[in-house]
Amino acid sequence: KDSMSVLDLVDNRILFSVATGRNPVELSVSPDKKYLLVANKLDGTISAYFRQDRENIRDLGTFGNGENPTDVIFNNKGTEAYVAYQGEGRINFLSVLNRAMPVSKQVLNLKDESFKGKVSPFKLAISKDDNTLYSIDKDNGKLFVFKKQNNTFTQSNIINLAINNEPVDLEDIIVNNDKIYISDSINSKIMVVDAINNTVINSISLLSKEIDSNIQPLPTKLAITSDNKKLYVTNRGTSTIAVLDLEKNTLLKHISLSSKNADSALPTDISIRPNGNIYITNSSGRNLSIISGKDDKLLRNIGTTPSAGFIPPLSAIKML
């Protein structure tokens, strides 16, 4: 539908929708909840919005032009943003202006002298102090590290995550203090990287007795609770949500997105409310799944359109 909808979390109804570019795939919200940036896959643009109040979002227009933008994130202060262009091997470093369109500050071209093929930045993450930018290369199984100095970023390290030449398929990345968590769908695991030493220190398998041994979970998107104690993972292969204990680095359980009344399948993104409830967008079945963060159980699956006969697949979700 090439649009972004605002959902009222009191009654779980759509308040209004705004137009985006073609095929919006990623959404980012600034820490102060004022700015929104949307990556549009098919036309290669970024849509920018300023949130004036609860029911009004001002469209600032679109900017940028590149092949296959796959991620967009803000820094922790909301003063900068970063866009990954998977098809071009680059990351755009943006300055976020007050109530205006972001402007480009620097273009980061990923370089790997040990590899003759094309590098492809896929997902991004930023350190708590905003001085280290991370990008996973989905196609080549590597983690690129950029360090900031004098207000510019320089590539400082490349970490090969394909240990012992084992094929990997990197899907998402999230930073939690001095640790980095990366989902690997082909091996159904979460990699844990030491952000200080830039080394893989752990690997958490998502295979369990709750899942048929012949079906791969295929973990994709990641979300961490505000107390940094739990990590939630969307499993595209099994339409479940994995719950991990970050203090023990262990799998706690899988939450099925199926219920007696309404099933959902193929989860695409996940976001956690301040009250602890978890919202999941789905590309099949009902549109949204809501999970209780208190007991890690599915509360309900809901649609986001008046007619059950037309339920468009949803992509990204972020809390305002």
Side-chain angles (χ1 to χ4, degrees), residues 223 269-273 277-280 317-319:
D269 201 4
I270 184 169
S271 191
I272 302 176
R273 286 189 67 185
N277 282 353
I278 300 106
Y279 280 66
I280 298 101
I317 182 170
K318 291 293 183 293
M319 295 297 163

Side-chain angles (χ1 to χ4, degrees), residues 90-127:
R90 65 179 167 91
I91 300 169
N92 277 19
F93 172 22
L94 308 171
S95 176
V96 179
L97 305 177
N98 185 29
R99 298 180 180 234
M101 187 88 73
V103 297
S104 180
K105 291 184 66 173
Q106 183 184 5
V107 175
L108 309 176
N109 293 300
L110 280 68
K111 298 178 181 179
D112 186 355
E113 296 179 357
S114 66
F115 179 65
K116 295 182 180 180
K118 189 176 183 180
V119 293
S120 54
F122 184 58
K123 297 298 176 185
L124 305 171
I126 191 78
S127 61

Side-chain angles (χ1 to χ4, degrees), residues 75-77 80 82 125-134 145-154 156:
N75 68 353
N76 295 289
K77 299 183 184 69
E80 298 169 353
Y82 319 93
I126 191 78
S127 61
K128 190 175 181 179
D129 63 6
D130 291 331
N131 289 326
T132 307
L133 179 66
Y134 301 96
V145 183
F146 296 85
K147 292 291 185 180
K148 189 177 186 182
Q149 190 173 16
N150 297 325
N151 209 29
T152 60
F153 282 97
T154 303
S156 65

Side-chain angles (χ1 to χ4, degrees), residues 10 22 24 34 47 93 102 111 154 165 177 214 224 245 258:
V10 175
R22 295 177 60 204
K34 295 294 186 182
S47 298
F93 172 22
K111 298 178 181 179
T154 303
N165 294 319
N177 296 321
N214 295 318
I224 291 180
D245 183 328
S258 295

Side-chain angles (χ1 to χ4, degrees), residues 153-187:
F153 282 97
T154 303
Q155 183 175 308
S156 65
N157 208 341
I158 304 175
I159 305 170
N160 185 10
L161 300 177
I163 301 173
N164 299 323
N165 294 319
E166 178 187 57
V168 295
D169 191 1
L170 310 180
E171 298 282 359
D172 200 10
I173 177 172
I174 195 166
V175 176
N176 182 28
N177 296 321
D178 60 349
K179 292 183 176 63
I180 305 164
Y181 296 88
I182 300 171
S183 53
D184 172 12
S185 63
I186 196 172
N187 296 296

Side-chain angles (χ1 to χ4, degrees), residues 186-204:
I186 196 172
N187 296 296
S188 295
K189 67 181 182 181
I190 304 299
M191 296 181 180
V192 186
V193 178
D194 186 321
I196 298 176
N197 298 318
N198 290 322
T199 56
V200 178
I201 58 174
N202 206 340
S203 179
I204 307 171

Side-chain angles (χ1 to χ4, degrees), residues 220 234-236 239-241 257 265-269 280-283:
T220 52
T234 60
N235 292 320
R236 186 176 64 244
S239 296
T240 61
I241 303 300
L257 298 183
L266 302 176
T268 52
D269 201 4
I280 298 101
T281 47
N282 299 292
S283 62

